[in-house]
RNA sequence: UGGGAGGUCGUUCAACGGUAGGACACGUGGCUCUGGACCACGUUAUCGGGGUUCGAAUCCCUGCCUCCCAGCCA
């Protein structure tokens, strides 16, 4: 037996199993071709990323191709703004579709030809019932529907009506083209579904050329066939539509027969994923826009500081199956931390500054201490940090009456200033209200980092030199919703919004080496988390978004007590 | 009381008649000039009931639960 065949097989999902099997048996001559088919009616989100990674991933792994195809069959909901954002996002995620950018609207002419053929074949007819009447005739989940009085209209008459619909002779809703299937089918999608409707609306690509537009159920299978899509991957809610997908292919007889396979869409706890709900957040100004860093959109994640690598890794880890699922956002956060830990340079920054004065450090003196840029990557080198008599430390790093296990600064306790000296707090200065305004400290001149006599202390805290530090705005993000399942039980998800999802800190101080960094730059502020320079930054007024905190064992311990 | 799909650790994915495993989360310890990273160890699962089989998460029967479908949305 071939020893390589005995090696533990990499776990592949059921879709890759099907694709591999088709390829092995020579189906379609071994050719694999997928497509990512967004409707340009909103921004892409992390759920789309799952589909993108699946479709492009399968194509790449089986030496195939993946098309980008806009499912733009409904002019009233779509817009060019969205097609531009979609291309940017897919590309940013790291995928390339060459020159294979397609639109369902590219096929409008072919689609209407196939429709006329269907009419001539007696497989479709023009129905002149109103939308309400059609609904009425459709029956219910438990009762069969009834045939429309128009169902037996002569093919010539339907054809004539269809052509006049196309010419714009009728108002919206006057007629529709319906497939003639079975009004008694237990599958409601087969009860003479609508294939074409009249829409006197201008389309973002075809302008006013068309007054009739095909429905998804009709356009999608034929678009797949035209492009030679071998595996048409979509989400579970289309499972019921597969018989219709197959019916369209069978009766319209395009030169190729694609196969639809359904998988479960991604759900994430503490967030919403439907474009409708995301649109509501944007339109009601509950967030700053589609790219608000709290949004689960690709644009939002990008601005937040997520990397394509992290998102792709996330998509690989969640897997693909048919079971409804709710993935823990902690996994997403884990994948960015892992990626950024490897790549982000470190910096010292103080979010909520507390001034300390080192009384035994000579006034006016300053020196440079050496700091490591990335302990995970020696090649990143080192930098010099200015040190002086007056510093800022994090307010959270000082407690006048510390609980046990608080390994930070408190009166009489020694801590190390990262990369610099060991200091102790001698005196606490307060204002009239009793709030701590300043600490008077002393340092051990023999304790400089790297020096041979390296005494050990329990805690190390970060700092910046007061006269050298730059001021910055820092935006701290928390989950957008307080509920793990926003809007469950039919509530308005907006009632579950987290009022504390954004905290802006305006007086943060960052080490001077960060001056002039470009928007999009990611750094780790040591002991705090990963931060990304926001496009709102100006050279003299940098703005940092917190991508994600570091894992914080102390917060967990403190939270328990 | 129509049709379709699905039920495996807290979560997610695997195991394709042969020791229920990985990741995240959680817990304990080690290491550490980031309470980070890293390392080690650990807790926790086959929806219920019958059957077939030497052997069942897997096959059969039955019950239960969940999700989707009555747009001229996708």
């Amino acid at each position: 037996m071939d020893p390589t065949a005995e090696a533990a097989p990499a776990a592949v999902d059921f879709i890759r199993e099907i694709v591999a099997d088709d390829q092995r048996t020579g189906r379609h001559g071994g050719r694999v071709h997928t497509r990512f088919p967004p409707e340009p009616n909103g921004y892409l989100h992390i759920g789309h990323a799952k589909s993108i990674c699946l479709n492009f991933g399968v194509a790449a792994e089986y030496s195939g191709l993946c098309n980008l195809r806009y499912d733009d069959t409904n002019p009233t909901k779509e817009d060019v703004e969205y097609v531009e954002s979609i291309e940017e996002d897919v590309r940013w995620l790291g995928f390339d579709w060459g020159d294979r950018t397609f639109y369902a609207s590219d096929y409008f002419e072919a689609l209407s030809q196939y429709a006329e053929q269907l009419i001539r074949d007696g497989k479709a007819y023009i129905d002149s019932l109103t939308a309400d009447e059609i609904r009425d005739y459709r029956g219910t989940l438990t009762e069969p529907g009834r045939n429309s009085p128009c169902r037996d209209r002569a093919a010539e008459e339907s054809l004539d009506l269809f052509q006049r619909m196309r010419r714009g002779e009728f108002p919206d809703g006057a007629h529709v083209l319906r497939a003639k299937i079975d009004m008694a089918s237990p599958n409601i999608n087969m009860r003479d579904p609508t294939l074409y409707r009249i829409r006197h609306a201008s389309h973002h690509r075809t302008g006013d050329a068309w007054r009739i537009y095909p429905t998804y159920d009709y356009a999608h299978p034929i678009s797949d066939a035209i492009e030679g899509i071998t595996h048409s991957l979509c989400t579970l809610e289309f499972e019921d539509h597969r018989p219709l997908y197959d019916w369209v292919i069978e009766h319209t007889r395009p030169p190729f027969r694609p196969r639809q396979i359904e998988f479960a869409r991604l759900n994430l706890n503490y967030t919403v994923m439907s474009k409708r709900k995301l649109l509501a957040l944007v339109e009601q100004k509950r967030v700053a826009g589609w790219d608000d860093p709290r949004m689960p959109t690709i644009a939002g994640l990008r601005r937040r500081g997520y990397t394509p690598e992290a998102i792709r890794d996330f998509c690989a880890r969640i897997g693909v199956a048919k079971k409804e699922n709710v993935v823990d956002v902690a996994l997403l956060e884990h994948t960015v931390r892992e990626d950024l830990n490897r790549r982000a340079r470190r910096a010292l920054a103080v979010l909520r500054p507390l001034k300390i004065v080192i009384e035994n450090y000579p006034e006016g003196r300053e020196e440079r201490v050496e700091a490591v840029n990335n302990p995970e990557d020696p090649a990143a080198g080192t930098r010099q940090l200015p040190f002086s008599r007056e510093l800022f430390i994090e307010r959270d790093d000082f407690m006048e009456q510390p609980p046990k296990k608080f390994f930070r600064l408190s009166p009489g306790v020694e801590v190390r200033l990262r990369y610099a000296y060991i200091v102790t707090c001698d005196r606490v200065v307060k204002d009239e209200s009793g709030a701590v305004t300043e600490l008077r400290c002393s340092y051990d001149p023999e304790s400089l980092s790297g020096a041979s006599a390296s005494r050990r202390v329990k805690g190390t805290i970060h700092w910046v030199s007061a006269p050298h530090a730059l001021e910055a705005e820092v935006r701290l993000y928390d989950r957008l919703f307080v509920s793990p399942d926003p809007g469950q039980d039919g509530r308005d998800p907006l009632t579950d919004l987290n009022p504390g999802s954004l905290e802006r800190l305006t007086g943060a101080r960052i080490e001077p080496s960060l001056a002039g960094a470009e928007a999009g730059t990611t750094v780790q502020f040591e002991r705090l988390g990963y931060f990304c320079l926001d496009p709102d930054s100006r050279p003299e007024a940098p703005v940092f978004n917190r991508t994600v905190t570091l894992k914080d064992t102390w917060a967990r311990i403190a939270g328990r007590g």
Side-chain angles (χ1 to χ4, degrees):
Chain A
M1 187 187 273
D2 176 7
T4 59
E6 282 183 314
V12 295
D13 55 73
F14 78 100
I15 289 177
R16 278 175 244 251
E17 237 164 52
I18 291 169
V19 172
D21 204 57
D22 285 348
Q23 195 162 59
R24 193 175 332 109
T25 58
R27 203 165 203 239
H28 311 307
R31 194 173 61 81
V32 172
H33 204 147
T34 57
R35 101 267 93 115
F36 171 61
E39 183 188 12
N41 67 344
Y43 277 60
L44 261 25
H45 54 63
I46 184 76
H48 292 107
K50 174 178 181 175
S51 173
I52 292 165
C53 290
L54 211 213
N55 278 294
F56 281 93
V58 163
E61 290 157 35
Y62 297 91
S63 313
L65 295 170
C66 179
N67 296 351
L68 175 63
R69 181 171 74 230
Y70 295 97
D71 232 325
D72 55 349
T73 56
N74 187 351
T76 62
K77 295 192 173 176
E78 297 153 7
D79 196 277
V80 281
E81 175 197 353
Y82 298 126
V83 346
E84 284 158 12
S85 75
I86 287 167
E87 297 206 14
E88 182 187 359
D89 290 349
V90 178
R91 220 182 297 283
W92 178 78
L93 277 172
F95 298 102
D96 179 35
W97 57 97
D99 58 357
R100 296 182 314 285
T101 304
F102 300 118
Y103 296 80
S105 56
D106 290 341
Y107 312 133
F108 281 175
E109 185 56 44
L111 256 4
S112 77
Q113 294 305 315
Y114 280 121
E116 293 192 1
Q117 176 193 315
L118 244 22
I119 295 169
R120 281 190 295 264
D121 291 347
K123 297 294 181 185
Y125 62 97
I126 297 297
D127 197 344
S128 308
L129 256 25
T130 66
D132 282 346
E133 289 167 332
I134 287 179
R135 188 181 320 118
D136 227 50
Y137 274 76
R138 187 156 31 230
T140 68
L141 292 177
T142 52
E143 300 163 280
R146 287 130 53 213
N147 286 171
S148 164
C150 305
R151 199 172 200 261
D152 294 320
R153 180 122 72 184
E156 301 73 44
E157 189 187 348
S158 280
L159 198 54
D160 175 62
L161 252 12
F162 183 68
Q163 285 160 353
R164 290 168 59 197
M165 282 163 64
R166 175 173 176 170
R167 287 196 295 267
E169 293 184 19
F170 307 110
D172 286 9
H175 309 281
V176 290
L177 179 70
R178 289 229 259 169
K180 192 184 287 187
I181 309 180
D182 177 9
M183 289 305 292
S185 172
N187 181 345
I188 290 188
N189 296 302
M190 299 299 270
R191 317 239 262 230
D192 290 10
T194 299
L195 269 23
Y196 266 93
R197 69 285 216 203
I198 300 171
R199 284 264 192 292
H200 288 268
S202 80
H203 184 280
H204 65 99
R205 288 197 86 233
T206 59
D208 294 323
W210 293 86
R211 306 281 64 153
I212 55 173
Y213 293 92
T215 57
Y216 166 87
D217 282 319
Y218 177 66
H220 206 86
I222 296 177
S223 302
D224 284 342
I226 290 172
E227 293 176 23
I229 300 304
T230 55
H231 303 268
S232 180
L233 313 180
C234 65
T235 44
L236 251 28
E237 66 269 29
F238 294 104
E239 217 151 14
D240 282 348
H241 294 239
R242 190 175 353 119
L244 177 51
Y245 183 101
D246 291 338
W247 184 95
V248 170
I249 294 294
E250 186 183 334
H251 293 281
T252 211
R253 300 187 302 280
F256 184 77
R257 176 163 199 136
R259 171 180 178 189
Q260 172 179 303
I261 303 169
E262 312 84 14
F263 65 94
R265 61 161 10 106
L266 167 69
N267 295 291
L268 265 188
N269 58 14
Y270 296 100
T271 190
V272 294
M273 209 67 95
S274 87
K275 280 198 257 187
R276 203 192 88 249
K277 292 171 186 169
L278 294 174
L279 215 210
L281 288 167
V282 173
E283 285 184 335
Q284 296 182 31
K285 310 249 190 253
R286 313 304 276 262
V287 295
W290 286 101
D291 70 342
D292 186 296
R294 293 166 294 182
M295 292 282 273
T297 51
I298 303 301
L301 291 166
R302 176 169 58 230
R303 187 163 176 186
R304 175 85 171 247
Y306 275 72
T307 59
E309 290 82 358
I311 293 172
R312 281 190 253 122
D313 183 35
F314 171 75
C315 291
R317 290 190 195 221
I318 58 176
V320 178
K322 295 195 71 157
K323 191 173 69 123
E324 302 277 356
N325 60 82
V326 183
V327 174
D328 193 339
V329 282
L331 181 61
L332 219 209
E333 295 176 345
H334 173 263
T335 61
V336 231
R337 281 197 192 99
E338 192 174 67
D339 186 42
L340 262 20
N341 174 52
R342 245 186 335 255
R343 304 159 49 183
R345 55 158 297 193
R346 318 278 128 129
L348 298 189
V350 171
L351 267 29
R352 298 176 179 86
L354 173 61
K355 189 175 192 181
I356 74 171
V357 178
I358 301 173
E359 295 187 298
N360 62 337
Y361 193 90
E363 218 141 343
R365 176 165 152 195
E366 66 176 67
E367 61 187 299
R368 305 272 144 172
V369 300
E370 186 174 59
V372 172
N373 286 333
N374 183 352
E376 307 294 323
D377 176 17
T382 61
R383 67 190 185 284
Q384 303 293 314
L385 292 175
F387 184 89
S388 66
R389 181 179 150 94
E390 298 197 354
L391 312 171
F392 290 113
I393 66 165
E394 205 68 60
R395 283 202 101 91
D396 288 351
D397 285 339
F398 173 78
M399 278 185 104
E400 199 168 6
Q401 283 151 12
K404 43 194 173 308
K405 301 249 211 128
F406 183 81
F407 303 144
R408 306 182 187 183
L409 191 61
S410 46
V413 173
E414 286 190 326
V415 289
R416 159 144 255 135
L417 295 176
R418 176 79 157 152
Y419 295 124
Y421 298 97
I422 291 173
V423 296
T424 186
C425 171
D426 303 316
R427 196 152 46 86
V428 180
V429 182
K430 299 179 183 176
D431 62 17
E432 320 73 52
S433 71
V436 177
T437 55
E438 185 179 302
L439 266 23
R440 309 298 287 194
C441 299
S442 53
Y443 85 118
D444 173 359
E446 303 302 311
S447 65
L448 182 61
S449 285
S452 49
S454 57
R455 289 197 290 124
R456 298 169 56 130
V457 290
K458 267 187 299 214
T460 298
I461 64 174
H462 57 274
W463 54 276
V464 292
S465 168
H468 301 92
L470 274 29
E471 211 166 316
E473 174 179 336
V474 174
R475 298 175 184 168
L476 304 181
Y477 300 102
D478 196 357
R479 42 186 56 141
L480 229 199
F481 295 92
V482 291
S483 165
D485 182 13
Q488 71 179 136
D489 305 326
R491 283 198 315 275
D492 181 351
L494 298 182
T495 61
D496 288 325
L497 277 171
N498 175 8
S501 61
L502 167 60
E503 184 180 3
R504 290 160 178 260
L505 302 176
T506 48
R509 308 299 167 101
I510 61 177
E511 65 170 69
S513 71
L514 258 15
E518 278 179 41
T521 301
T522 284
V523 297
Q524 181 197 99
F525 289 163
E526 291 208 27
R527 302 210 309 132
L528 297 171
Y530 297 94
F531 293 75
C532 179
L533 202 65
D534 190 85
D536 282 353
S537 299
R538 281 172 291 115
E540 67 288 1
V543 176
F544 285 90
N545 295 316
R546 184 174 68 196
T547 307
V548 67
T549 61
L550 256 22
K551 283 213 288 196
D552 191 346
T553 309
W554 167 246
R556 266 211 310 274
I557 295 168
R560 279 182 212 153

